[in-house]
């Protein structure tokens, strides 16, 4: 998976969690919760989705890396780069 | 000839990924999520109805009584949408008329931050800056904070000596989660902020409709639901969950998610011998929360009740006082009014009075005394309600009361606790899987995990951990690292 594809996967997950939010204009370097209405339960949903879709476990101490889109992409790309997009 | 007893476990599998014990809101929500995540789930409920405290009952004359439907915070809409269905979440409606009536003040409110701010300024004469700072402080409280301050100290800091303001801020939360002035302030702050966000909400269609919808969704997702099924034992070997015994039958499972009371789960279902002695020492310190009495009043067909409020916090006590609130000599009652809008098309009304109560005040009465005290409770409640709905005795044709003993019978909670355990139970609940592999608990603990929203969300939090545990049992799960 490319960096762009990883970014798109995060966007897909966010779209499921927050269907009423406009996620098309997300700024990669601003905290996600400052741009869309996300609470701690929503972040838990992101963790559950990553486990379900890709068998990736994000330890609680690393949740901070998911705070921005750029953080998500740089944190997850090493784990996803060798996977096909279809998974 | 006697018919053989029905086998409620007919067709059950020999093994499951997870057995969920109890179908309260936390149990149902976790069962649903785990099934959606692909696990094989058995949901065992001892009662014939699902829902736990989110329940209802029917009586002759077409009466349907809701136990706890009014009300919950706005956040429930999102929780229902994400972990249940769009259709369920769309039925959530606001209760716009919350009323207080006591010797210190009479106030109507929509129970949100804007209206509370206005009332605190205009009715109670509090400065805007103080109100804003108070709201900021409670909003900022979170689950992970160290416990430093009690609610009493919090109120004393912002509204010193203003027992009228304390009552205005506290009475509804005592009704919602049983917390008192002497509990940690975060147990107050988190729940209060959740309500202040947008107000108080309820479910249009009634509890029976909601639970029926949830049952359908559980079945769609493949949960094996078994009512009349009492889990008698959780089998543990080598610090690991092996299975359960239900109605005398052994069933294997990799994990157990107990929505039974925390202390019941540890002491009775699992057995203290399976835990570290140090852990059990902490378990012994966990206090149960109090229980409740309720009086259910069904209005005759064709009779009406004017809109006198959706929730009415009424009290004859001079001041807010925990002891008085729990006393068998009732001075404070919360009336929940169920108008026909709650069950569109039925044109029926019911009113439920709730008071917090102590189990020991009701547990040891003789049968005749118990009956008499229940009757007195019904009559004094009708007297109190007559002030708000004149002629109420002519309008009702069904009145009955429940006590802490009733709650114990239906939920099996020790001492009939209607709000689980006090704050210290949360740490024990969270720590269970560190003691026994595959043993999880989700249910009312620590007050903030109580009530409709707290219970459902705690079910999600614990289902996430159960999912993680189950996936770690098979190779393939990759742990990320920064």
């Amino acid at each position: 998976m490319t960096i762009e594809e990883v970014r798109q996967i995060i966007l897909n997950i966010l779209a499921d969690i927050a269907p009423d939010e406009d996620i098309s204009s997300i700024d990669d370097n601003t905290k996600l919760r400052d741009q869309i209405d996300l609470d701690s339960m929503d972040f838990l949903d992101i963790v559950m989705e990553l486990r379900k879709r890709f068998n990736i476990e994000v330890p609680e101490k690393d949740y901070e890396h998911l705070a921005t889109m750029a953080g998500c992409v740089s944190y997850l790309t090493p784990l996803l780069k060798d996977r096909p997009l279809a998974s | 000839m006697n018919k053989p007893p029905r086998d409620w476990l007919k067709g059950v599998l020999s093994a499951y990924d997870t057995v969920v014990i109890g179908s309260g809101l936390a149990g149902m929500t976790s069962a649903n999520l785990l099934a959606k995540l692909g696990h094989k789930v058995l949901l065992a409920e001892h009662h014939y109805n699902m829902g736990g405290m989110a329940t209802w009952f029917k009586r002759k004359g077409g009466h349907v009584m809701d136990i706890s439907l009014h009300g919950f915070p706005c956040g429930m809409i999102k929780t229902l949408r994400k972990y249940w269905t769009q259709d369920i979440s769309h039925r959530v409606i606001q209760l716009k008329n919350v009323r207080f009536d006591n010797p210190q003040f009479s106030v109507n409110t929509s129970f949100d931050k804007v209206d509370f701010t206005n009332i605190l300024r205009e009715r109670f004469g509090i400065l805007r800056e103080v109100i804003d700072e108070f709201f900021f402080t409670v909003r900022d409280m979170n689950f992970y904070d160290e416990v430093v301050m009690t609610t009493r100290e919090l109120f004393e800091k912002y509204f010193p000596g203003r027992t009228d303001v304390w009552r205005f801020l506290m009475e509804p939360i005592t009704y919602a989660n049983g917390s008192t002035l002497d509990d940690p302030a975060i147990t107050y702050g988190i729940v209060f902020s959740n309500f202040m966000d947008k107000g108080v909400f309820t479910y249009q269609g009634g509890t029976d409709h909601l639970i029926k919808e949830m049952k359908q969704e559980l079945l769609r997702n493949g949960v094996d639901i078994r009512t009349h099924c009492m889990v008698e034992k959780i089998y543990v070997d080598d610090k690991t969950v092996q299975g359960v015994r239900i109605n005398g039958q052994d069933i294997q499972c990799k994990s157990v998610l107990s929505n039974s009371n925390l202390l019941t789960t540890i002491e009775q279902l699992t057995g203290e011998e399976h835990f570290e002695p140090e852990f059990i020492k902490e378990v012994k310190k966990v206090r149960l929360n109090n229980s409740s009495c309720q009086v259910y009043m069904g209005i005759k067909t064709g009779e009406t009740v004017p809109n006198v409020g959706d929730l009415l916090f009424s009290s004859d006590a001079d001041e807010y006082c925990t002891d008085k609130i729990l006393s068998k000599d009732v001075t404070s009652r919360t009336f929940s009014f169920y108008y026909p809008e709650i069950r569109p098309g039925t044109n029926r009304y019911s009113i439920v009075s709730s008071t917090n109560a102590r189990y020991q005040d009701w547990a040891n009465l003789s049968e005749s005394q118990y009956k008499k005290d229940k009757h007195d409770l019904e009559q004094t409640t009708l007297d109190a309600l007559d002030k708000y709905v004149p002629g109420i005795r002519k309008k009702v044709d069904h009145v009955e009361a429940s006590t802490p003993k009733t709650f114990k019978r239906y939920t099996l909670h020790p001492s009939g606790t209607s709000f689980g355990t006090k704050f210290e139970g949360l740490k024990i609940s969270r720590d269970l899987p560190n003691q026994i592999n595959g043993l999880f608990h989700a249910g009312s603990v620590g007050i903030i995990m109580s009530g409709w929203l707290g219970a459902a969300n705690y079910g999600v939090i614990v289902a996430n951990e159960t999912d993680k545990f189950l996936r770690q049992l098979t190779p393939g799960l990759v742990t990320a690292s920064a």
Side-chain angles (χ1 to χ4, degrees), chain B residues 300-350:
Chain B
K300 285 176 197 167
T301 312
E303 276 286 354
T304 60
V305 173
N307 191 322
V308 293
D310 295 301
L311 273 173
L312 166 59
F313 301 101
S314 109
S315 178
D316 302 326
D318 297 341
E319 288 187 357
Y320 173 91
C321 164
T322 305
D323 267 351
K324 278 185 192 158
I325 277 191
L326 288 169
S327 169
K328 196 146 169 276
D329 181 18
V330 176
T331 50
S332 300
R333 299 175 179 84
T334 301
F335 291 105
S336 306
F337 292 87
Y338 295 92
Y339 300 102
E341 300 88 87
I342 297 301
R343 287 184 176 77
T346 61
N347 207 27
R348 295 304 295 268
Y349 300 76
S350 65

Side-chain angles (χ1 to χ4, degrees), chain B residues 431-451:
Chain B
D431 224 23
L432 273 194
N434 299 325
Q435 289 285 315
I436 293 171
N437 293 312
L439 181 60
F440 299 88
H441 172 266
S444 286
V445 279
I447 297 172
I448 49 181
M449 297 306 191
S450 295

